[in-house]
Structure formats: structure tokens, C-alpha cells
Amino acid sequence: MSNSRPSIPLVKVAMPPREKLMPSLESVLYSGMIAEGEFVYRFEERFSQQFGLANVLATSSGTAALHLAFLLSGVRPGNEVITTSMTAEPTNTTILQVGAKPVFADVDATTGNLSPSSVESLITQRTKAICVVHYAGYPARLNELRKLADQYGLSLIEDCAHALGAAYDNQPIGSVGDYAIFSFQAIKHMTTIDGGILAMKDPGKVSEARRLRWFGLSKGVPRTEVDITTVGFKYNMNNVTAVIGLNQLDGISPILQRHYDNGRYFDQMLNNIAGMAPASVDSLSKPAYWLYTLLTDDSDEVERLLTSEGIMASKLHRPNHLHSVFKPFVTPMPELEIFYDRLVHIPCGWWVSDEDRERIVSTLKRG
Ligand SMILES: Cc1ncc(COP(=O)(O)O)c(C=O)c1O
């Protein structure tokens, strides 16, 4: 019976081979230099080259990078940030963290990504920034959002936590926004256990970002002479996680390619099954397919069917406006309701073999 076949997880930690990782990890652990240092700066340089992003700083998490992005955008108490509810919570808890108001725009029901027309309808005098998430790794409509940000003098922040290696209109993901963040938390395409990247369009912001990352102190100035003028945080990456990151970067290309190949396979194979449709991918998008987004007439039933066959499937996230902490900011989001009702994520990552993906398709066809 199919139930005896190995189960296919929805997400999985990718770790470099032990024989490759452990010697470099051990050497840094016993080097006496485990805090922020050479390996962190090397990681930033390599990440920048590999993903086509200028002005990158490594952080302790994607959440830390988001917090910095809002601060550097000048988002302050009383400001509004137009954002999406269809995301992981840190996208929006960090808006509350800087004392601003999250204003939830609606999404496109076929992608779960921000609808530019909904964003525009919510811009007010108090709006300071737009925060866009490339949900599940599918790029949002960046050209239109960039245009709106420019037209209204707003900062555009790209939350690329799900979208490592994606592209939009031939631009690397994260290069269109004024700020972009990435996450290296356990189950992302690439993990440093915890960690993140903040990328900035304006090189003039880097020194302020560095200070905010490190208590408000300028590194390199003797500690007895340095002066804190703005309160900062302890948001730096350290050499230990950076050396894991450097090892991950060596092996990330085939991992990203396998997510992409599996995603394209499902886009073709799940296109003509009654009652379901793949999330739409516009012609300018190259998705990262962190999760594969399937939209179905009965998502509970599809989830049950797949799970009973050992294929892990779920909605994975909870729209943020459903949390009590965001209740005061609830707006009508009819398209999001349709999207969420129809949503099931199915396994798509580097661990999904040719046989696995055929099994997923045949199970869905049978159901
Ligand atoms: C969309 C999104 N934004 C931000 C984050 C925060 O990243 P981290 O867990 O590295 O702080 C995550 C992941 O947890 C996420 O999924």
C-alpha cells in the first residue's frame, strides 16, 4: 500500500555534507574568534556576488533585518506601513515594534501576493513605506509597486524570506526595493541555523545600518572614545553562523535549481485537473518555489488525501490579521479570503525526487 512508502515532508533542513562542514566549523569554534569578524564579512561579500545585491549586511535573523529596514526607512510611531497579511508574522510584528500601524492591503487571489491597486487605494498622508512579501517564493508585482513607491515618495521594503534566488523582470529579487531582507532560519532554502541579510539600495545607509546592528556603536572606533547617538540593537551575525553560511553558499545553486525544476514540473502537470490550479506565475516572474502553492476547491479534502498518502501538505501560515494583536488593523480582504480558503502547499523542495513528484501528481489526479 502507498501508506508504507516513505513520507514526503513539506519542509526540510538542508545541511552541507558533514565532512565538508565540520572541519571549517570546528576550526572557527576553537579559533578564539567566534563573534562578528572575518567570516561574517566574507559571507556578506559572497552573498552579494551570488545573488546580485549591493550593500548587504548579515544579521542575527530575518526579523532583525526587517526591524532595521523599517528604522532606516524612517518609519516611526504614527506612520503607516502598507503591508500584506498573507505572510509569516515577523513581517508585521516588526511594524508594531517600531510603533507604526500596519495597513493590510488585499492580495491577488491567484498568487497570495499584494495587489498594487489595493495598495494604492490605501495610501494616505501618514503612509511611509510599502512592505511586500514574495509569498512562498513567488515574486510580487514589483514594477508596479516600485512605481507607486516613487510616485508617492515611499520606501519599498522587499521581504524575500521565501524567495532566495528568485527574479522579477530579469532583476534579482531584493534589488528593486529600497531595502530587502532574507532569512536563514532553519527551514528556508538555506540556513545558518538563524540569520538574515539586509540589502540596501542606497550605499549611504550602510554605516547607519552597521551602527544600528551593533548597539549604536561604530565598530573600529576605540570603545573608550566611541559615542552612541542613536540606540541600536544586538543584531549582528557571528563567525560561527557565518561559516555555516559560507558552506551553504557553496552548495546552494543545485538546491535552488531543484526547487525551481520541481515547481515548473508541477506548474505543467497540475494545470488541467478539475477543481485545482497552480498559483499563477506571471511572465516576468522567476519564482523560487520555497513552497509550492496549489489552489483547490476543497483544500481540507486535498490536504487530507495527501496526508493519508504520506505526502505532507498544509496552509503553513496563518493570515496575520487573524491574530489578536492585529485585530485593530483588520480591513476587508476579500481576495485574501478566497486565496486562503483555496490554499494548500505541497512539497516541492530539493528533497523531492522525480519519483516523489510523480507520486504527488498521481495522488492528486486520482483524488
Ligand atoms: C515571510 C517571512 N518574513 C520574515 C521572516 C523572519 O525571518 P527569521 O525567522 O529569520 O527571523 C520569516 C521567517 O521566519 C518569513 O517567513
Side-chain angles (χ1 to χ4, degrees), residues 47-77:
F47 186 89
S48 164
Q49 281 165 5
Q50 274 182 245
F51 293 100
L53 295 165
N55 312 313
V56 311
L57 288 190
T59 55
S60 52
S61 69
T63 307
L66 268 169
H67 186 203
L68 295 180
F70 290 124
L71 289 172
L72 292 161
S73 297
V75 179
R76 297 290 179 267

Side-chain angles (χ1 to χ4, degrees), residues 61-63 66 87-88 90-91 133 159 161-162 181 183-185 188 195:
S61 69
T63 307
L66 268 169
T87 181
T91 308
V133 175
D159 180 338
H162 300 174
I181 73 97
S183 162
F184 309 127
Q185 166 269 346
K188 295 299 181 334

Side-chain angles (χ1 to χ4, degrees), residues 251-279:
I252 193 66
S253 295
I255 287 178
L256 295 175
Q257 188 63 44
R258 187 65 195 178
H259 278 257
Y260 183 75
D261 290 346
N262 283 338
R264 297 309 286 170
Y265 174 84
F266 288 137
D267 282 344
Q268 279 175 8
M269 303 303 286
L270 302 177
N271 207 11
N272 287 311
I273 305 179
M276 65 182 67

